[in-house]
Amino acid sequence: MTRARVAVLISGRGSNMAALLAAAADPAYPAEIALVLSNRADAAGLAHAAARGVPTAVVESRAFRGDRQGFEAAMEAELARHDIRILALAGFMRVLTAGFVARWEGRMVNIHPSLLPAFPGLDTHARALAAGVRLHGCTVHLVSAGVDEGPILAQAAVPVLDSDTEGSLAARVLAEEHRLYPAALAWLAAGRVSLAGGVVRIADARGATGSLANPLPAAPGLSKG
Ligand code: GAR
């Protein structure tokens, strides 16, 4: 099996990157993480990748001071050098130009910590708490020109509990991110993802059954009928 060569783009901690590396350690996984690329030299995820023998590169966005085209040209050079076919954004906190997005159309995925289209952008967990939503979660999507926009590949939902803080909710969502992202990247790398009218179809994917309600309709103390 030829595995698709993937670059994971990070800006910081890299826990989703670590989840992708762990999945790709299985030779049966359809993607090989051939490069971890960061726009910050101090991204903690770089050391984790290097310790596992994964090639790393840094293209410092700060060095380009508003020259987004120059920054992206430098990134493209690294991606070409490593013969990359698919990009997985994993906490990569730079907005990409329409030209870059167009060049990688259908081959670039992102993970976002909300159930898109709710709460694009930053501080998703605080905003979910403030809005009082009872279900929150994460989304893996193909990247299109808008920030945190694009056809949705997969979502995972978690309950929001009355006792939640931003930190506890973030942790519950992050655990789901680490399960969802490797699965979604595998579908893309295996060529199972297609688009029909802007909507993703995944060949031979198992749809979830059942439902998640929060609070539970049959909560203790609720009188019947
Ligand atoms: C993750 O929660 C990811 O979903 C989010 O940044 C975090 C990175 O953590 N991405 C975005 O908000 C993109 N809009 P990580 O570096 O530990 O993977």
Side-chain angles (χ1 to χ4, degrees):
M1 179 185 67
T2 315
R3 309 210 294 162
R5 292 177 65 80
V6 172
V8 183
L9 271 54
I10 64 170
S11 297
R13 179 177 57 181
S15 72
N16 277 290
M17 173 216 73
L20 295 176
L21 290 187
D26 179 350
Y29 190 77
E32 173 190 351
I33 310 303
L35 177 67
V36 169
L37 175 60
S38 175
N39 68 307
R40 296 178 58 123
D42 62 357
L46 287 169
H48 181 97
R52 278 152 190 80
V54 175
T56 61
V58 176
V59 178
E60 279 274 14
S61 46
R62 267 187 315 196
F64 290 87
R65 291 186 190 279
D67 173 15
R68 286 163 77 201
Q69 310 247 347
F71 168 62
E72 290 176 355
M75 283 210 301
E76 291 278 18
E78 284 295 340
L79 299 172
R81 208 157 67 81
H82 292 271
D83 195 20
I84 298 302
R85 293 297 145 88
I86 292 176
L87 299 187
L89 310 185
F92 184 70
M93 298 315 233
R94 303 303 298 179
V95 176
L96 298 163
T97 66
F100 187 94
V101 171
R103 276 194 299 285
W104 289 91
E105 189 180 1
R107 298 188 295 139
M108 176 159 56
V109 280
N110 180 44
I111 186 151
H112 181 75
S114 76
L115 294 172
L116 291 172
F119 311 124
L122 300 175
D123 301 323
T124 56
H125 308 305
R127 287 158 61 209
L129 286 173
V133 296
R134 295 297 193 165
L135 298 173
H136 183 46
C138 55
T139 302
V140 178
H141 63 96
L142 290 165
V143 176
S144 59
V147 174
D148 299 324
E149 268 182 31
I152 290 171
L153 275 161
Q155 295 185 301
V158 301
V160 181
L161 307 178
D162 289 349
S163 57
D164 266 327
T165 61
E166 190 179 343
S168 64
L169 183 56
R172 195 174 306 117
V173 171
L174 192 64
E176 293 306 317
E177 294 186 43
H178 297 164
R179 280 158 37 101
L180 193 69
Y181 208 1
L185 178 64
W187 295 326
L188 184 68
R192 291 170 60 185
V193 172
S194 59
L195 273 177
V199 172
V200 166
R201 294 282 176 258
I202 300 168
D204 301 322
R206 273 186 308 139
T209 55
S211 64
L212 176 59
N214 180 49
L216 291 171
L222 193 73
S223 60
K224 290 186 187 155

